[in-house]
Amino acid sequence: MRVAWTGFGQFQGVEANPSAVLAQRLAAQHADDSVEILEVSAAAAKAWRCPDAGLVVHLGVAITYDAITLERCAYNDASFRVPDQNAFQPSKASIDEAERFGATRTSSIDLAAVAQKAGVNVSDDAGRFVCNYLYFCSLATGVPCVFVHVPPVERLPLEAQVETLARLRGYLVEAVGSNAVDVLADVAAAANGAGVLDQLVSLGIDQERAAFAVAAGCTSVEAAMEMLFAEQPPAPPPSHAMKMVLVVREDLGMSRGKVAAQCAHAALGGARRADATVIERWAGAGETMIVVAAPHEGLAALRD
């Protein structure tokens, strides 16, 4: 899974911000990871755009902390204790005027469980400075993300922080992957296929594959096994364009938000399972995606 790391640049005369050093060190450990060093300002936080990644990890220094801490939420409240790098210092101002002042946005990741595994702290208060500002904006993108406050290197040496954050990355990726499986299981249960799902898992089928089969409309173990283990037809000859089509069942009665979340997870899952040449052709055609609705019967016919 590609992880996008961010850190902050110089602030109040400190040229080498530890969060920038850490973000660069961590991103360098994985070829697919990316890193971006942001100015310590509200303008930079609002202008930041989420890259193509399955997980975003923001790093910032909390001078009063003694341990690495995962922030679970951010607040629609910009009350800067000091001016940012652009001399901007709002007080009790909304970050997003369309939402209630003080409203919270919460990470979709189970950070309490991750913190317990990684041996780090968890918090529900990211402050009201640029760290909180960036996190609040980032949580609106729909990409799983977390803000990680790190202590000054005088309180926890840099190498110890690198080691802990590298271990934390693994637990976060694992948690995001589990969320994707949970979404497929939810679809399966909504399709009245929970019994089939349990039977497939009891037969040793990976939970993600089992949930995918049931969500696709398999109402029996036999049908699921046939779909999962059928001999794959030869790949079609290359064409000038390739599109990803997401077909959503109309009879499940899902909210728009639920449909959007499931489509996002389905797209990611499909891309991960696809052959590299298929992904290359799709990317070369502009990564076109189409979402259509279909009744349950129509989806079954499409599968056949």
Side-chain angles (χ1 to χ4, degrees):
M1 178 183 295
R2 175 178 293 176
V3 177
W5 299 84
T6 74
F8 287 110
Q10 64 177 5
F11 182 61
Q12 293 185 340
V14 179
E15 293 291 334
N17 191 316
S19 68
V21 177
L22 288 167
Q24 291 166 336
R25 290 278 299 273
L26 270 296
Q29 294 183 6
H30 298 270
D32 287 340
D33 285 8
S34 65
V35 62
E36 187 174 358
I37 307 305
L38 305 177
E39 179 185 69
V40 184
S41 70
K46 182 158 283 189
W48 177 80
R49 293 295 178 266
C50 182
D52 180 17
L55 169 66
V56 176
V57 180
H58 301 293
L59 300 180
V61 177
I63 60 174
T64 61
Y65 282 14
D66 294 314
I68 292 173
T69 302
L70 310 184
E71 303 293 349
R72 288 195 287 198
C73 59
Y75 296 84
N76 192 23
D77 180 357
S79 297
F80 291 5
R81 51 183 170 74
V82 294
D84 66 12
Q85 282 293 93
N86 292 333
F88 179 58
Q89 188 176 9
S91 178
K92 297 188 181 303
S94 294
I95 298 171
D96 186 343
E97 295 291 344
E99 293 192 25
R100 175 180 57 83
F101 173 77
T104 60
R105 290 175 182 170
T106 304
S107 176
S108 61
I109 308 169
D110 186 353
L111 295 178
V114 171
Q116 185 174 16
K117 290 180 180 179
V120 299
N121 292 346
V122 65
S123 163
D124 290 322
D125 189 354
R128 300 297 184 273
F129 194 45
V130 177
C131 295
N132 175 75
Y133 203 110
L134 174 63
Y135 197 19
F136 191 80
C137 295
S138 182
L139 286 167
T141 66
V143 177
C145 67
V146 58
F147 196 100
V148 182
H149 265 131
V150 298
V153 293
E154 294 80 11
R155 299 193 179 197
L156 185 63
L158 184 69
E159 293 305 320
Q161 294 195 42
V162 170
E163 181 180 349
T164 300
L165 289 170
R167 187 170 65 250
L168 176 64
R169 180 193 185 281
Y171 291 126
L172 287 168
V173 168
E174 180 183 47
V176 172
S178 296
N179 283 350
V181 174
D182 289 343
V183 169
L184 283 174
D186 288 344
V187 176
N192 298 318
V196 175
L197 177 66
D198 291 340
Q199 292 179 61
L200 290 170
V201 172
S202 69
L203 291 171
I205 305 300
D206 178 77
Q207 185 180 13
E208 182 176 5
R209 296 188 68 205
F212 178 79
V214 177
C218 296
T219 57
S220 69
V221 172
E222 292 76 14
M225 295 292 251
E226 182 178 351
M227 188 193 85
L228 292 173
F229 296 103
E231 182 177 352
Q232 297 297 315
S239 62
H240 67 283
M242 176 172 285
K243 302 175 182 179
M244 179 185 291
V245 181
L246 303 177
V247 184
V248 181
R249 284 179 50 182
E250 295 178 318
D251 58 306
L252 297 182
M254 296 182 291
S255 66
R256 291 182 179 178
K258 188 71 171 178
V259 169
Q262 290 173 356
C263 284
H265 284 297
L268 287 172
R272 292 190 187 112
R273 283 188 288 268
D275 184 83
T277 57
V278 173
I279 293 298
E280 185 177 351
R281 287 170 55 199
W282 178 54
E287 298 183 352
T288 302
M289 298 180 66
I290 300 174
V291 181
V292 298
H296 177 45
E297 295 77 14
L299 189 60
L302 180 63
R303 187 186 70 249
D304 296 339

